Amino acid sequence: MPSEGRCWETLQALRSSDKGRLCYHRDWLLRGEDVLEECRSVPKLSSYSGWVVDHVLPHMQENQPSSETSESSRSTSDLEQPSCVPKSPVRTPAFSPVSSATPDGAEDKHESQHAEPMALQSSRGIKVEGCIRMYELVHRMRGREGLRQWQEEQERKVRALSEMASEQLKRFDERKELKHHKEFQDLREVMEKSSREALGHQEKLKAEHRHRAKILNLKLREAEQQRLKQVEQERLRKEEGQVRLRGLYGLQEEVLHLNQQLDASEQHKDVLKVDLSAFRTRGNQLCGLVSGIIRATSENGFPTAEDQAVAERALQEMRDLLTSLQQEIARACEDKRRQDLEAQVKRQDSHMQQGPEVHRETPAPSQGPGGKQNEDLQVKVQDSTMRWYHQLQDVSSQCVLAFEELTNSKDSQAKKVKMDLQKAATIPVSQISTIAGSKLKEIFDKIHNLLSGKPVQSGGRSVSVTLNPQGLDFVQYKLAEKFVKQGEEEVASHHEAAFPIAVVASGIWELHPRVGDLILAHLHRKCPYSVPFYPPFKEGMALEDYQRTLGYQVKDSKVEQQDNFLKRMSGMIRLYAAIIQLRWPYGGRQQIHPHGLNHGWRWLAQILNMEPLSDVTATLLFDFLEVCGNALMKQYQVQFWKMILLIKEDYFPRIEAITSSGQMGSFIRLKQFLERGAERESGRHRILSRLQALSCQHRA
């Protein structure tokens, strides 16, 4: 059909036009719903349709006899016209304002005449638009299909990549786990190897240890055997030394006896007119030689066989010397007798010749007076001593009243201060031992600084008596109490501890006299025999209270054992005896001792002037004399030995008379101690007298 041919020609022309060559965008749907509105709505005429009717159709009717080519071109131009006109989103059903405004019927007729070509023209446009829409639909469907396929391809790739990444991650995890497992295995093998090596090394060390232990045990056994052998040798050496020493003492005694015989021969000097000084000089030299051997032996240990041989030679020489002296005296006596006989014969001859009478005068012997005076012992202490005792107790009571507020305080801070001060005062005293030197000086300085108001370290804190107004009184009282308690406990168990404790107490006493008075007050209260004072039994007094005044400890109505009581009293008397003879070595020597040996002499004299107590007096005398007897001897010399002689001759019988058979231990111990001391002193005096005689002879 010719219309269909023109339609395809029109489409071909439209496709070749500039707009036909335009590219359609696939996202044109996103521009808005108004773009698709034209396709979905009922086909309508354009707003330019009136212009087309007025201008294009009249020309088509005039040129109707034209050729098909011109018609085709006209048709194409007619088709192109609406396509060239821009589409308006607003659609109007009217053709044009001019045509719609024509009132007459001619125009209606004209409209009817052009109705069919407009319908045809509209049909063509619809077809063209339908083809365009069909093409767009197909193109859109292809695009969608391509997009769907592309999306599916991308999804497949993403899934493939995800699966590949997952597999790679799994492989990575597997490799990592394998690496960790391998490292763990390596570490485990290294640890097992180290453990095996350590076990091997440990076994080796154990074997070496067992071997060394075996060697050490052998060495220990050998050392023990060697020690036992040395002990046995030492015992034998001591026994031999003791035997030699006893032999030396016997030799010395015999030498001294022989020397006395030499001295006794001095009476023949004037009678026989013989010079015997050479014999006496040699005898004194031999005595000095033996005494020097014994003195060197006492300093170096036991005498050796050589010392004994020298002493024996000296004894033999002394015997020979005495024999020679006796022979010399015998010869002198014989000469004297012969001379006397000759003189008598001559006198008789002269008497017979002269006959005078010879008057002889005999000297009258002189007689020296001598006497002994005994005095009765006292039962109670002297009044001056009791006043001194009560004064010290008053000082102690006043000190207690001075810090009573601190003791009874309920304040936690005051209690803490009290506890710190008590520790600072008592702990240094507890640390005093037999170790001398800087440690003892450090303890003394700490106590002195505390009493002087300076801060000291105690328990990691700084403590000073200035923390409380009553701190100084409290510290002085507790310090004195602790010193006496150390004597009661420490010195009672370890006698050698009396000296370091006493030297510190003496130094503190010298710098702080009130502490010394408190020490005496505590000592007299716990040990009344240190006054000396025998508390009397008062009427109405309970037996337990009386026993407490005597110094016994009574707990739950049970009195302590006598041995424990004597042990405590012994410790306190030993501490007192050490205090009166010792002074702090770092103090000033120009000052006198605050409580020196004169008080010890007073105590000894007063206790000997009092009736003895069974088992107590002997124990206290022994402890007192053992500690400070040597110091008293050096201080009072002859007077001290007179006192010892008084004890042996007069006081021993009184103690023995009141001592039962079961309490003789302390009495025997005191008696043996004094006898040994007297023997040593007598031997020393004999040696000194011989030495003095020798020196006088040398000077002559």
Side-chain angles (χ1 to χ4, degrees), residues 472-491:
L472 181 59
D473 296 323
F474 179 77
V475 168
Q476 289 176 343
Y477 186 85
K478 289 299 179 181
L479 182 62
E481 184 181 38
K482 185 61 178 178
F483 272 120
V484 177
K485 191 173 183 181
Q486 284 294 100
E488 184 182 8
E489 297 176 354
E490 182 67 20
V491 179

Side-chain angles (χ1 to χ4, degrees), residues 46-51 54 92 94-103 107:
S46 175
S47 58
Y48 298 98
S49 301
W51 183 83
D54 294 335
T92 58
F95 293 108
S96 117
V98 178
S99 60
S100 61
T102 304
E107 291 180 0

Side-chain angles (χ1 to χ4, degrees), residues 428-436 440 443-444 447 479-480 482-488 490-492 494-511 515-516 519-520 523 570-586 589 593-597 627-628:
V429 181
S430 302
Q431 295 173 348
I432 299 175
S433 64
T434 55
I435 302 174
L440 205 61
I443 294 173
F444 176 84
I447 298 174
L479 182 62
K482 185 61 178 178
F483 272 120
V484 177
K485 191 173 183 181
Q486 284 294 100
E488 184 182 8
E490 182 67 20
V491 179
H494 305 90
H495 292 168
E496 65 277 3
F499 296 98
I501 297 174
V503 74
V504 176
S506 177
I508 295 297
W509 194 335
E510 185 174 342
L511 297 176
V515 177
I519 289 176
L520 286 177
L523 185 65
S570 173
M572 287 184 280
I573 285 296
R574 283 178 177 273
L575 178 62
Y576 178 68
I579 288 176
I580 63 177
Q581 65 173 314
L582 294 177
R583 295 192 63 183
W584 180 244
Y586 302 101
R589 289 295 180 178
H593 196 292
H595 196 79
L597 283 172
V627 174
C628 72

Side-chain angles (χ1 to χ4, degrees), residues 251 286 289 306 308-320:
L251 292 174
L286 293 175
L289 177 62
E306 184 180 357
Q308 189 174 8
V310 172
E312 289 176 353
R313 287 195 299 270
L315 176 61
Q316 186 62 35
E317 187 177 353
M318 179 67 78
R319 289 172 181 171
D320 296 340

